[in-house]
Amino acid sequence: MTLKETIETNYKTSLKSKNKIEISTYRLILSSIKDLDILNRSGADKKETDDEDVKKLLKKMIKQRIESIEIYTKNDRKDLLEVEQNEFDLLSSFLPKQLNEEDTKKICIDTINKLGAESIKDMGKVMGELKKSYPDNLDFAKAGPLLKELLNK
């Protein structure tokens, strides 16, 4: 079953259980997937939307939720914070679990040693290897600054 089919199945289940938060979040996801389908079909490189496209879309939506959560936390908006947190949890459930900071650092160090990277000039090479080896598990927004710090020593 594709990721899109899984989301559609979960949407139908949430409709039956009348869970308003899940229903609205699934509608939002499915609407975005439909927009992506249209974009993929109408562009110069016509293709079907696959799981990788859906994962990228979900990551983008998660990033938006994280930004909103930070803003709502700063401004003490608990009502809006709760909605965003629920959406974040639901969106995150479709992606592999992100590695924590300690594991990310260990992987970065291992990759630097494996490639023999010595300076910041090698950052692109290391980042490329990380993206190839850990495309779904690593948060590259955290890995980038960490790599800079490790390679500047």
Side-chain angles (χ1 to χ4, degrees), residues 30-136:
L30 291 170
S31 170
S32 296
I33 291 173
K34 193 172 281 189
D35 290 343
L36 186 62
D37 280 339
I38 292 168
L39 187 68
N40 283 342
R41 282 190 310 232
S42 64
D45 314 336
K46 295 182 180 184
K47 68 173 196 146
E48 286 294 316
T49 303
D50 58 7
D51 277 357
E52 289 305 311
D53 293 331
V54 175
K55 284 180 186 177
K56 284 180 188 172
L57 176 72
L58 290 173
K59 286 178 184 178
K60 181 179 173 188
M61 294 173 81
I62 287 171
K63 185 177 178 189
Q64 292 168 340
R65 298 307 171 285
I66 290 171
E67 290 169 359
S68 297
I69 287 170
E70 289 173 4
I71 291 169
Y72 295 148
T73 302
K74 278 184 200 170
N75 296 320
D76 199 32
R77 293 295 310 265
K78 291 185 173 98
D79 52 333
L80 298 172
L81 177 65
E82 186 178 335
V83 171
E84 291 294 317
Q85 186 64 50
N86 289 331
E87 288 180 4
F88 171 81
D89 293 340
L90 188 70
L91 290 164
S92 298
S93 70
F94 292 105
L95 296 175
K97 184 135 176 67
Q98 296 286 301
L99 295 171
N100 63 25
E101 206 149 325
E102 184 180 307
D103 292 337
T104 301
K105 187 172 186 173
K106 183 181 181 309
I107 287 170
C108 287
I109 291 170
D110 291 346
T111 305
I112 288 170
N113 292 335
K114 179 179 140 188
L115 296 175
E118 297 174 1
S119 70
I120 197 74
K121 292 178 184 175
D122 299 319
M123 185 165 168
K125 186 168 58 170
V126 176
M127 191 62 97
E129 179 65 28
L130 288 173
K131 286 185 177 185
K132 191 170 75 174
S133 302
Y134 305 96
D136 296 329

